[in-house]
Amino acid sequence: MTDVTPSRDEPPYRRIVKEIRRRISEGELTPGDPVPSTRRIAQEWGVALATATKALTTLRMEGAVETRPRAGTVVAAAPTTTARARGHRPQGPSTTGPTPAPTEQELTLGRIVRTAIDIADAEGLSALSMRGVAARLGVAAMSPYRYVTSKDDLILLMADAAYGEQSYPGTASAGWRARAELGARTLWTLHRRHPWLAQLDSLTRPLLVPNLMVHGEWLLSALDGHGLDTTTLFDIHVLLYSHVQGLAVHLEREAHAAATTGQSEDQWMDSRTSDLQALVQSGRFPTFTRVVSSFGDGYDLRLDTLFELGLKALLDGLAPVIEAGGGELHG
């Protein structure tokens, strides 16, 4: 654990900022390299998550680091990084620097929600806290509570905003299948952009937010008008949504696993080579052995490809049901 015992006049987050600046200026961390996440800082320096968030926020506002979706916080591109990490400010006006933190008067619910989404996109939903949002915005810890009463309420607002980022054409295209494909692919795109969405609800306890209902309405209207009874109609709509969510849930799980273990998916698999070899050499799983042995460079898990494969299989199988008005399902 790194020592951040503060001096009489220096808070712990400043010690963390100085240490990360040193790593950047001395080349231990170079542009594009990941810097410790809030969780890692909290563990390494023995501080609260709010303190870790404040340290990263300070570095971000100085231009030393930047946040990239799903990559987390990384060292910012040179030359701005080097100059600012050493405490030098650029001369003259800058149009590429970080957006100034809002004052208390400029703080809005929209800014709070957008900042919370940025945190969840970069570091996962488990890294989100009301204090962390306040620290990222550079306002007092309790300020967000003037606009939203709790983290749970904030997450609902985040989900509604995220699902509202894409909509549908006012005039529906011909054909139920083309409309269903558009609805499923739109949802997949949003879950790809915001992997934490798949963690928020289950089929039995769905999110009841207006902008998610927009997507549900599109899918239901695509399937309506073909003689399906309402239960079958709704079942098919739920099945299509579950295909999106069922794959998307692995996006956030992988990001969380990478942050927790410090290993990429490939590195994790490499570390399990001996376990895989033991299964192959046991002789108990001949089909598995034959299939796995056929992959020259290993199996590449491509979620986008699986999504399209699954969507085609679903719609191919559902086509006779929909076009027969449910008769194929109940006959």
Side-chain angles (χ1 to χ4, degrees):
M1 182 181 295
T2 304
D3 180 23
V4 289
T5 303
S7 66
R8 182 174 300 176
D9 300 320
E10 186 175 48
Y13 85 93
R14 281 291 178 190
R15 291 279 183 101
I16 299 168
V17 168
K18 285 182 179 179
E19 171 58 19
I20 294 177
R21 279 199 201 122
R22 182 196 66 76
R23 295 179 187 181
I24 295 172
S25 64
E26 294 183 5
E28 293 179 28
L29 293 172
T30 60
D33 284 348
V35 300
S37 65
T38 51
R39 294 190 205 90
R40 190 62 58 84
I41 288 174
Q43 294 169 356
E44 184 177 346
W45 275 274
V47 297
L49 283 173
T51 300
T53 299
K54 190 169 184 178
L56 288 179
T57 299
T58 300
L59 289 162
R60 190 177 297 108
M61 292 177 68
E62 291 175 350
V65 302
E66 60 188 13
T67 301
R68 297 179 186 170
R70 307 320 302 162
T73 304
V74 301
V75 178
T80 303
T81 298
T82 304
R84 292 188 178 179
R86 291 175 180 171
H88 301 305
R89 296 185 178 274
Q91 298 300 312
S94 171
T95 60
T96 60
T99 302
T103 65
E104 295 285 349
Q105 290 73 27
E106 295 171 332
L107 189 61
T108 64
L109 179 59
R111 285 196 178 209
I112 292 168
V113 172
R114 187 69 254 170
T115 299
I117 289 174
D118 289 344
I119 292 172
D121 285 350
E123 302 182 51
L125 200 62
S126 61
L128 180 69
S129 69
M130 295 290 279
R131 283 183 173 271
V133 171
R136 176 75 66 91
L137 286 166
V139 297
M142 299 304 291
S143 294
Y145 287 100
R146 291 192 284 114
Y147 299 85
V148 59
T149 57
S150 69
K151 177 180 173 180
D152 287 343
D153 288 341
L154 175 58
I155 289 173
L156 288 177
L157 292 170
M158 292 164 57
D160 197 40
Y163 280 120
E165 290 177 358
Q166 289 194 230
S167 58
Y168 298 95
T171 302
S173 59
W176 69 267
R177 181 158 183 156
R179 295 179 67 197
E181 287 175 346
L182 176 59
R185 288 176 181 141
T186 299
L187 281 169
W188 178 248
T189 296
L190 292 173
H191 281 78
R192 260 298 200 182
R193 187 183 302 162
H194 307 294
W196 48 271
L197 284 173
Q199 309 291 329
L200 297 184
D201 65 341
S202 65
L203 295 181
T204 56
R205 302 187 183 192
L207 280 174
L208 299 177
V209 295
N211 283 322
L212 178 54
M213 292 295 293
V214 168
H215 302 282
E217 177 70 17
W218 177 265
L219 283 172
L220 285 170
S221 65
L223 302 168
D224 197 16
H226 295 276
L228 297 172
D229 66 85
T230 53
T231 298
T232 301
L233 174 68
F234 208 81
D235 283 348
I236 294 173
H237 147 261
V238 170
L239 185 61
L240 288 170
Y241 177 74
S242 70
H243 172 58
V244 176
Q245 187 192 43
L247 284 176
V249 72
H250 297 287
L251 298 167
E252 181 76 352
R253 286 179 180 174
E254 171 55 29
H256 177 74
T260 302
T261 65
Q263 292 180 316
S264 68
E265 179 186 350
D266 288 340
Q267 289 170 330
W268 185 88
M269 285 300 299
D270 288 343
S271 72
R272 300 301 190 275
T273 299
S274 60
D275 295 333
L276 180 60
Q277 288 176 339
L279 290 172
V280 168
Q281 293 170 2
S282 70
R284 297 174 57 198
F285 314 104
T287 306
F288 174 80
T289 298
R290 177 178 58 80
V291 172
V292 170
S293 299
S294 72
F295 300 132
D297 297 322
Y299 173 67
D300 184 15
L301 181 66
R302 298 161 296 171
L303 291 179
D304 290 320
T305 300
L306 288 177
F307 168 76
E308 289 294 338
L309 178 64
L311 180 61
K312 181 180 184 303
L314 270 174
L315 295 180
D316 284 349
L318 290 169
V321 176
I322 295 169
E323 292 165 5
E328 289 288 329
L329 182 66
H330 299 297

